Amino acid sequence: MNTIGSRLNTALVAAVGSPLSSVVNGMSMSNEQDKSTWVMHFDLSATDAQKAAVNAVIAAFDPSAVSTNPVDYPLTMRQLRQALLTFGGQPVDFVASVVAKIADPNQKALATIWYEETTTGINWGDPETQFLIAASGIPLAQASALWLKAKDL
């Protein structure tokens, strides 16, 4: 999800590690675009160094910036297939052809179910997505760029 909160959460986890809840119990944002209204609720066990790291992330964070991380954009199967066709030069049945080449019958069955029956968002970070990207032979950077184009279809 490409919200200010989700992007900030990603930046905070990168800075202080996971689980973030060991440092921050929550955050209040009266106005998402105005960082002066943001209040961090630190865990009692948070160290001064952890608090400083969190505050540094917030100081550097630009709430108006647009994310370039594919994790922030779930896709529908339609968006994925259209992007593969339109921007990737792949046939409409490309995902099905990748699934058909999976040698292990259990993995092939699971990938088929995922491909044919996913009705909610397809998430970049899902193991099935990453498995099929690897199996497709499309370089990760190219897949990421394609994903970011697909979000607008």
Side-chain angles (χ1 to χ4, degrees):
M1 178 128 306
N2 186 25
T3 64
I4 290 172
S6 68
R7 289 188 295 113
L8 180 59
N9 187 68
T10 299
L12 289 170
V13 168
V16 299
S18 185
L20 184 58
S21 61
S22 66
V23 179
V24 176
N25 290 331
M27 179 176 181
S28 303
M29 291 179 166
S30 296
N31 178 343
E32 286 188 336
Q33 296 297 326
D34 181 0
K35 291 193 293 185
S36 70
T37 69
W38 299 4
V39 178
M40 297 303 299
H41 306 286
F42 290 102
D43 188 83
L44 294 176
S45 65
T47 66
D48 288 340
Q50 290 171 320
K51 291 176 184 179
V54 166
N55 289 328
V57 168
I58 291 172
F61 187 81
D62 180 0
S64 64
V66 176
S67 173
T68 57
N69 186 342
V71 169
D72 291 329
Y73 302 100
L75 300 180
T76 64
M77 188 57 75
R78 178 195 57 78
Q79 287 173 304
L80 178 61
R81 292 178 72 201
Q82 277 187 293
L84 285 164
L85 177 67
T86 306
F87 306 119
Q90 301 298 335
V92 171
D93 64 347
F94 179 71
V95 177
S97 70
V98 170
V99 170
K101 293 176 187 172
I102 298 171
D104 181 273
N106 287 334
Q107 284 185 332
K108 182 185 287 188
L110 289 171
T112 300
I113 292 167
W114 175 83
Y115 168 67
E116 292 178 354
E117 299 183 25
T118 295
T119 57
T120 59
I122 299 167
N123 296 297
W124 176 264
D126 287 349
E128 297 86 359
T129 303
Q130 293 303 308
F131 175 80
L132 287 176
I133 290 171
S136 75
I138 297 175
L140 198 56
Q142 183 181 345
S144 175
L146 201 112
W147 193 278
L148 291 173
K149 288 179 180 180
K151 73 179 176 51
D152 296 323
L153 293 175

